[in-house]
Amino acid sequence: MSETEVTTAPRPLLLADGRPADRAWSLDPALKHLNHGSFGAVPLVAQERQELLRVEMERSPVVWFPALPGRLAAARVELAEFLHVSAGDLALVPNASAGASVVYAALTLRPGGEIVVTDHGYGAVTMGAERMARRWGGRVRTARVPLEADEDQAYDAVVAEFGDATDLVVVDQITSATARRLPVERIGAQARRRGIPVLVDGAHAPGLLDAPLAGATYDFWTGNLHKWGCAPRGTAALVARGPLRDRLHPLIDSWAAADPFPNRFDQQGTVDATSYLAAPVSLAFIDRTWGWPAARRYMDDLADYAARVIGAAFAGAADLDTAVDVGMPVPGMRLVRLPDGLAADRVEADALRDRVARELGVEAAFTSFDGIGYMRLSAHVYNTAADYEYFAEECVPVLGTWAREDSGKRSAR
């Protein structure tokens, strides 16, 4: 949690006309939505804008597609302003994993070359690094970072894996499964001194952090705008600086292949790019309605409150310490330890997510790290304290029963 624990429920945010904030989204009212961090949620104004763009595309596709690169270039200017970077450094990709895949496809490893990742890395991105290593006859080295590691400890753990064979470092700015930051600024600076390229996976950073690229030394950074930024899904940025960026090409070759970075990414045949064009609407809606600083404060206060309420409920149901020290916490996200028997690995965590949605009517995130299961809380402006109080009162007792049943089954084996 943050240094100042929120012990009273934050007052819900309202729209300009006084209605509850969730009225600006089309989320199913029959479900409780406590997992914004996985897939985001798109405001109605952005959904409507995207639908109008799709109608325009279908009405005159022969006009639409030749004009699309120019419209995407204009959208990049707005999105780059939100991220506080130059539009000339930013390409649009479907998601952060796609941005990582672009980097993996562009770079080479020396014979015996190594890619350094961490044990907090997003699974799909780490698997991409492993595939790249196999392709070039290299290997992946994994830095083990304790969940509670502070900035110095996390930095030391990652840099300790650097060596003469290191050809690429891949590090998360905000980890997905463990909801913590890693010191990408210091890691990147040290890698630069050693001449090692760095890819920062900033999937959760846009919107959650004010200026996620400020002060960082990196060659490549990729982040999703459809998570905390609430853009239509399939909208992410790939930011590249330095000479290596000239090697980057979209995963689909098209007629702009000979254009410089990032323009070559603006033309991708008949790909539906309306999510990119509608993305600025989402960002502007939150900024205009509450302002991003106020939205982030609310999300952080609510996440603190949620962790306290749900953590206390689990502690009472399972007689365990549910508080989690993640070393470098982030705004809007928290972990609560689950009782033994729940979410011991990724497969079990995903199965629990599906069961909770199906049987309890709650969209929630469950993760695991080092064999321990956690509930990952990720709040947004449409969430309220009542959402988490409901989970604590109605769902935690059921999960406690499931944990005891599962533990009994394991003991009987």
Side-chain angles (χ1 to χ4, degrees):
M1 290 190 183
S2 62
E3 293 182 2
T4 303
E5 185 181 78
V6 177
T7 57
T8 58
R11 297 179 62 182
L13 292 183
L14 301 176
L15 298 172
D17 59 8
R19 292 180 300 154
D22 65 350
R23 299 296 178 86
W25 275 262
S26 58
L27 294 165
D28 185 350
L31 293 171
K32 298 291 184 183
H33 302 275
L34 310 185
N35 184 20
H36 183 89
S38 284
F39 300 104
V42 186
L44 285 166
V45 289
Q47 294 182 43
E48 292 162 359
R49 176 59 176 160
Q50 186 176 21
E51 183 57 31
L52 288 173
L53 290 165
R54 283 176 170 154
V55 169
E56 182 183 350
M57 175 176 65
E58 298 302 337
R59 188 171 288 165
S60 53
V62 177
V63 172
W64 171 270
F65 285 103
L68 185 57
R71 297 178 73 165
L72 289 175
R76 281 196 290 108
V77 172
E78 294 185 74
L79 299 177
E81 182 178 352
F82 176 73
L83 293 172
H84 304 283
V85 298
S86 168
D89 293 336
L90 185 152
L92 292 170
V93 290
N95 51 47
S97 297
S101 295
V102 166
V103 174
Y104 295 150
L107 302 185
T108 59
L109 297 181
R110 296 167 292 169
E114 296 178 344
I115 304 172
V116 172
V117 301
T118 79
D119 55 348
H120 295 257
Y122 188 65
V125 173
T126 297
M127 286 189 283
E130 292 168 345
R131 186 163 65 90
M132 179 187 176
R134 289 194 300 270
R135 188 167 72 246
W136 293 99
R139 60 175 295 212
V140 170
R141 294 180 65 91
T142 302
R144 307 292 174 182
V145 181
L147 186 60
E148 69 279 4
D150 62 20
E151 179 178 335
D152 289 339
Q153 293 167 332
Y155 169 81
D156 290 341
V158 175
V159 172
E161 300 299 327
F162 291 5
D164 292 340
T166 306
D167 283 340
L168 178 65
V169 176
V170 183
V171 61
D172 293 67
Q173 189 166 25
I174 296 173
T175 62
S176 179
T178 51
R180 60 159 293 153
R181 291 190 69 163
L182 291 174
V184 296
E185 297 83 3
R186 291 178 60 188
I187 293 169
Q190 177 66 348
R192 175 65 56 85
R193 285 191 286 270
R194 298 194 186 194
I196 304 170
V198 174
L199 165 61
V200 174
D201 182 352
H204 286 271
L208 205 55
L209 304 180
D210 176 36
L213 293 97
T217 300
Y218 59 88
D219 298 272
F220 316 102
W221 178 97
T222 184
N224 290 321
L225 292 160
H226 58 246
K227 286 185 181 285
W228 305 95
C230 294
R233 274 168 283 279
T235 307
L238 171 60
V239 180
R241 294 170 177 163
L244 289 176
R245 77 179 195 167
D246 293 332
R247 300 187 189 182
L248 301 181
H249 287 263
L251 299 177
I252 301 171
D253 286 322
S254 194
W255 289 102
D259 290 353
F261 179 92
N263 304 65
R264 61 177 70 121
F265 284 76
D266 292 340
Q267 189 168 349
Q268 294 283 280
T270 53
V271 167
D272 182 351
T274 55
S275 63
Y276 299 160
L277 299 180
V281 175
S282 293
L283 304 177
F285 166 71
I286 293 174
D287 189 39
R288 182 179 64 252
T289 307
W290 301 286
W292 276 101
R296 278 190 285 268
R297 284 194 301 273
Y298 176 76
M299 291 187 284
D300 198 35
D301 287 347
L302 185 56
D304 256 354
Y305 178 76
R308 186 179 70 83
V309 170
I310 293 175
F314 272 121
D319 190 26
L320 81 160
D321 183 3
T322 59
V324 183
D325 178 8
V326 297
M328 297 178 68
V330 296
M333 298 176 73
R334 299 291 185 273
L335 292 183
V336 174
R337 179 167 177 171
L338 294 173
D340 292 341
L342 295 179
D345 57 31
R346 185 186 65 82
V347 174
E348 290 186 9
D350 289 349
L352 181 61
R353 173 201 63 200
D354 297 342
R355 187 180 183 186
V356 167
R358 184 176 62 251
E359 298 184 26
L360 303 182
V362 176
E363 291 189 332
F366 302 97
T367 68
S368 67
F369 186 74
D370 278 349
I372 297 174
Y374 300 95
M375 182 177 183
R376 190 197 71 186
L377 303 171
S378 53
H380 213 279
V381 295
Y382 55 80
N383 289 124
T384 68
D387 295 331
Y388 302 98
E389 292 164 353
Y390 173 88
F391 189 89
E393 295 168 7
E394 302 295 332
C395 301
V396 167
V398 178
L399 267 68
T401 300
W402 291 352
R404 290 189 293 273
E405 292 173 349
D406 190 74
S407 295
K409 292 177 184 176
R410 292 173 192 263
S411 299
R413 292 174 186 169

